[in-house]
Amino acid sequence: MSLGSAITSVTRPLRAKVKPATIVAEHRMRAVPAAALVAAPSTPALLEPGSVPIKDPHGDYMWGVKWPGHSIKDTPDVDVAAIKEAFKMWKIFSLGGPELWGGLLAQTAAIAADAMPKRKH
């Protein structure tokens, strides 16, 4: 058995690898929908007399039922204003005052002094 055949036997499973170029990684809400199986009119049906008109037509149904969420297609991928607002919280961030750091230094000095070898009389 030569060295080449041993390496080939170890790397053989890598020949059937997944090719990332063949897979589309996209969120369901941002994916372009496929063509419909059944043709439907693009205009909504007329409201029947006595039905409730839609006050906020962000994906709500014509019969007054509200969907708990809305499409994210019209929202930006990165919300820059929210990121700026989040960075404003850093003004209240603290790693402690001089009292904390002075106390830590004193404790470290005491531990180091205790660990030093002492003279024997």
Side-chain angles (χ1 to χ4, degrees):
M1 176 195 253
S2 69
L3 181 63
S5 64
I7 292 173
T8 304
S9 67
V10 172
T11 60
R12 188 175 306 136
L14 296 178
R15 289 186 183 145
K17 63 185 181 281
V18 175
K19 296 178 182 163
T22 61
I23 299 172
V24 178
E26 188 173 27
H27 194 275
R28 275 180 265 145
M29 296 296 288
R30 294 205 184 272
V32 178
L37 295 175
V38 178
S42 60
T43 59
L46 297 174
L47 291 174
E48 293 185 18
S51 64
V52 179
I54 298 173
K55 295 181 183 95
D56 185 18
H58 288 287
D60 299 337
Y61 292 110
M62 297 294 258
W63 50 88
V65 177
K66 292 197 177 253
W67 181 250
H70 297 292
S71 173
I72 61 169
K73 287 186 178 182
D74 57 344
T75 58
D77 289 334
V78 178
D79 191 359
V80 178
I83 293 173
K84 287 180 183 177
E85 187 67 26
F87 273 106
K88 289 181 183 176
M89 296 302 292
W90 281 100
K91 69 180 177 185
I92 60 172
F93 178 75
S94 172
L95 289 175
E99 301 86 18
L100 173 76
W101 289 104
L104 286 175
L105 182 64
Q107 285 178 350
T108 305
I111 291 171
D114 191 41
M116 291 288 182
K118 297 180 175 58
R119 289 179 61 185
K120 293 186 180 183
H121 292 287

